[in-house]
Amino acid sequence: MIKTFRVYLLVFLLAASCALPTTFAQRRAERATAHAPAALLKARGVESITAAQLRSYLTFIASDEMEGRDTPSRGLDTTAKFIAMNLGRWGFKPMGDDGTFFQKIALRREALDPTKTSASINGKDFFVGDDFLPNAVSATLSGPLVYAGNGWVLRSKNLNPYQGIDVKDKIIVVVGNGFPRGVTRNDLAGRMGEDWSSPTVYAQQHGAKGVLAIPDAGALLSWEQLRARSLQPPHSVVEKFTTQPNAPPIPNVVMSIKMAKALFEGEKVDAVALANGSDVAPFELTPKNITVTIAVKSEHPMTQNVVAVWEGGDAVLKNEYVAVGAHYDHVGICAPGTADPICNGADDDGSGTTALLGMAEAISHAKQKPKRSVLFVWHCGEEKGLWGSKYFTTFPTVPLDKVVAQLNIDMIGRSKKEGDTNSANKELTGPKAIYVIGSTMMSTELGKLSQDVNKSFLNLTYDTKYDDPADPNRFFFRSDHYNYARKGIPIIFFFDGVHEDYHRPGDEPQKIDYDKMEKVARTVYMTLWAVANLPTRPKVDKPLPAQLNQRAG
């Protein structure tokens, strides 16, 4: 497999190096023409950003061999090396750690140790994976047990299965490992732990030892998928972002029906009836000789942002930076146990990752330099909670007060086709349109410049509907520009809209509109040049709307 992968990489690189000069010259007649002066376009190298070039890069970055570019993962690291290799070829200045393009980020994760994890009930042994699926919380569960229905507390629906029972120092047994019937995420209004509580939250607040879950019908049907998911690499946290939790985490174990039947042997109701939805009042189980041991091991993987600078040509202004960014991670193996388990993330955000590569290549071949320096950052961990951009803006490798603006590209590769009636594509932009978010939220000047560049160039349709501070989608908070904005840096976010393959295995390279990608990438590229050549930095003339001053919610 490793040998095959290396051959694949070598063949791709050789083919790309040979093919790209040719494909740059093969321009399709119907492609949009720019209104800007031809000499200016040539001097800046914008026409070297082509659909064929972007397709070539994206086919590699969003291939199955990258395994969905989870943070952290082998596929993400390979993508980082591919980006850095090209930056080195093109003459960029490394702005990571120790003279490299990589800003290293230390992670920590608690991984289940199956060899030391076990369970027994009244002398019967049960095996992790086959008989039970625990979370990665080191614990040994034993002692009295109390059955508490679905285990959820929801004030809005008058649900509280714990009335009349005390769970302190006991193991709570519930049915199901998700929302109870008739409850959705939208019902979780108010404050967690006050207005609503999951079984684990309630256990944590009320001193229970842990939670055992009887599988409902849905869990039984998807046991193999649950098993595969539980054995995937565990969730990581950024070491420098961690704080001591207010309360220790609670062990949570999904039992097989075999294990649940053993637990309810001799009780007034059996586990099968409970799994099938029997409505039974909470009760304490008869004493059982139960021991569940969950063993975990701490792991300390690393990941990285990829950071590079193209130095400006003005003796003074080159000390300031125009930042352009995209996140090169995605969600990895998102559907384990299925025929197509990999979420390739071609649009999200392979398209932005690739556009940044195209822009970097273009600026390295331009006949002139922008006055300001250009800071390129490929962020990791965006899908985990904007990790990479938070890390970079907390521990910047250039002076953050010298960054005059940040242009963020996150999903620019999909287009709504004529006649598409799929409701999941309702908000997807067309072939000559793109959502532009935040361009005027902090700087009137930056917003006007962005519009002027577009109108004088390819004149795409700029849709600013998501600038509404009351936008229920909260897109302003959901990509890396947010962490620059919170540091007072004016931003522009380019986004094609949510579609049917968002965070699904169907987000693949063959579904990308490469002509649209070319148009948007070229327009962002010309925008960064315009900002880089301003005589003074864009003025921040207004605070963010009150709704956007904090991310909570």
Side-chain angles (χ1 to χ4, degrees):
M1 174 65 185
I2 298 299
K3 183 177 180 181
T4 303
F5 178 74
R6 286 173 179 164
V7 170
Y8 179 95
L9 178 58
L10 180 60
V11 169
F12 168 80
L13 293 176
L14 289 174
S17 64
C18 294
L20 284 178
T22 303
T23 56
F24 287 167
Q26 296 170 344
R27 310 308 301 137
R28 291 169 57 181
E30 69 270 25
R31 190 153 292 151
T33 57
H35 305 298
L40 180 67
L41 301 180
K42 186 175 181 179
R44 294 180 177 179
V46 66
E47 291 185 353
S48 68
I49 302 171
T50 70
Q53 168 208 37
L54 299 173
R55 181 193 295 270
S56 180
Y57 290 148
L58 185 56
T59 300
F60 177 75
I61 288 168
S63 65
D64 281 353
E65 285 79 3
M66 297 304 104
E67 301 170 321
R69 308 186 311 277
D70 197 9
T71 304
S73 70
R74 175 178 60 181
L76 189 74
D77 292 346
T78 301
T79 304
K81 290 174 183 176
F82 175 72
I83 294 168
M85 176 195 69
N86 282 297
L87 294 171
R89 284 198 308 127
W90 298 331
F92 276 80
K93 182 180 180 181
M95 291 302 294
D97 302 331
D98 303 320
T100 72
F101 290 106
F102 304 131
Q103 183 187 32
K104 289 291 187 178
I105 302 174
L107 307 177
R108 188 185 75 241
R109 63 188 178 196
E110 304 297 319
L112 187 69
D113 186 350
T115 64
K116 298 179 182 178
T117 298
S118 61
S120 66
I121 300 174
N122 293 336
K124 294 181 182 178
D125 291 332
F126 299 92
F127 301 96
V128 66
D130 293 332
D131 300 318
F132 67 101
L133 304 172
N135 61 349
V137 174
S138 181
T140 297
L141 292 178
S142 62
L145 303 111
V146 57
Y147 173 73
N150 59 53
W152 282 79
V153 175
L154 285 137
R155 283 189 179 181
S156 63
K157 290 184 174 288
N158 199 29
L159 292 180
N160 185 355
Y162 302 98
Q163 290 180 352
I165 60 172
D166 180 13
V167 301
K168 185 174 174 58
D169 295 326
K170 298 173 184 175
I171 302 169
I172 300 173
V173 184
V174 300
V175 176
N177 64 323
F179 294 125
R181 189 177 304 165
V183 174
T184 69
R185 187 173 298 278
N186 293 333
D187 294 313
L188 305 187
R191 295 178 64 86
M192 181 178 71
E194 295 179 13
D195 299 296
W196 62 272
S197 296
S198 66
T200 50
V201 169
Y202 189 91
Q204 191 175 47
Q205 287 189 323
H206 292 83
K209 293 183 175 181
V211 177
L212 299 179
I214 303 166
D216 57 15
L220 289 173
L221 289 172
S222 59
W223 184 266
E224 285 305 314
Q225 290 185 38
L226 289 173
R227 173 180 174 173
R229 189 172 290 117
S230 73
L231 297 177
Q232 287 290 305
H235 293 299
S236 304
V237 295
V238 177
E239 285 272 20
K240 289 186 176 180
F241 296 165
T242 56
T243 56
Q244 279 302 113
N246 294 327
I250 289 290
N252 189 312
V253 179
V254 180
M255 300 181 289
S256 67
I257 201 66
K258 172 186 172 184
M259 182 171 171
K261 285 171 71 174
L263 187 67
F264 278 80
E265 191 173 319
E267 301 297 338
K268 62 183 179 181
V269 61
D270 62 50
V272 174
L274 293 172
N276 288 332
S278 289
D279 188 10
V280 177
F283 66 93
E284 292 204 21
L285 279 70
T286 56
K288 298 287 193 305
N289 184 11
I290 179 173
T291 302
V292 179
T293 299
I294 306 171
V296 300
K297 50 189 177 183
S298 292
E299 298 176 346
H300 299 274
M302 300 292 291
T303 190
Q304 61 280 312
N305 291 324
V306 184
V307 191
V309 161
W310 190 257
E311 191 170 82
D314 184 273
V316 175
L317 293 179
K318 71 178 183 180
N319 296 311
E320 295 181 342
Y321 303 86
V322 181
V324 288
H327 71 90
Y328 74 106
D329 69 307
H330 193 52
V331 297
I333 298 172
C334 59
T338 66
D340 187 9
I342 298 171
C343 276
N344 300 85
D347 190 29
D348 185 14
D349 185 28
S351 62
T353 298
T354 300
L356 242 62
L357 270 174
M359 292 160 62
E361 186 169 12
I363 206 167
S364 73
H365 291 94
K367 295 183 182 302
Q368 60 181 222
K369 281 191 171 189
K371 292 181 179 180
R372 288 180 176 81
S373 297
V374 183
L375 172 69
F376 287 81
V377 185
W378 286 263
H379 303 103
C380 67
E382 189 267 2
E383 302 289 4
K384 304 296 185 185
L386 313 187
W387 283 358
S389 56
K390 180 179 178 182
Y391 196 92
F392 184 82
T393 55
T394 305
F395 307 103
T397 63
V398 303
L400 214 58
D401 63 352
K402 297 296 184 181
V403 177
V404 304
Q406 199 267 349
L407 312 180
N408 181 40
I409 309 174
D410 190 352
M411 298 171 60
I412 59 166
R414 290 289 284 265
S415 291
K416 186 175 182 179
K417 297 178 180 178
E418 189 173 349
D420 185 351
T421 59
N422 187 337
S423 60
N425 296 330
K426 180 181 178 183
E427 302 300 328
L428 183 60
T429 50
K432 297 180 180 179
I434 196 76
Y435 291 116
V436 178
I437 301 173
S439 63
T440 61
M441 284 184 179
M442 302 172 70
S443 172
T444 304
E445 181 183 359
L446 182 62
K448 184 178 184 305
L449 177 147
S450 173
Q451 292 286 349
D452 289 347
V453 168
N454 178 50
K455 288 175 182 177
S456 67
F457 186 47
L458 298 179
N459 200 24
L460 302 177
T461 298
Y462 273 10
D463 191 333
T464 59
K465 65 180 285 185
Y466 293 128
D467 275 354
D468 181 356
D471 167 32
N473 299 285
R474 296 173 66 78
F475 286 128
F476 183 82
F477 298 99
R478 290 169 56 179
S479 193
D480 292 306
H481 60 275
Y482 168 76
N483 281 316
Y484 291 83
R486 72 186 180 90
K487 294 290 187 176
I489 298 168
I491 63 90
I492 308 176
F493 171 28
F494 297 87
F495 171 57
D496 60 22
V498 173
H499 49 75
E500 61 188 322
D501 292 317
Y502 177 69
H503 283 198
R504 294 178 181 271
D507 185 6
E508 297 183 323
Q510 66 270 23
K511 296 183 179 180
I512 295 295
D513 181 346
Y514 290 97
D515 286 340
K516 174 176 179 172
M517 266 188 72
E518 175 191 291
K519 294 181 183 77
V520 177
R522 287 183 172 192
T523 303
V524 178
Y525 181 70
M526 293 299 284
T527 303
L528 86 81
W529 270 90
V531 177
N533 286 347
L534 285 172
T536 57
R537 62 192 295 161
K539 182 180 180 182
V540 177
D541 57 356
K542 47 189 171 181
L544 285 171
Q547 300 97 315
L548 304 180
N549 273 324
Q550 56 183 4
R551 197 179 179 203

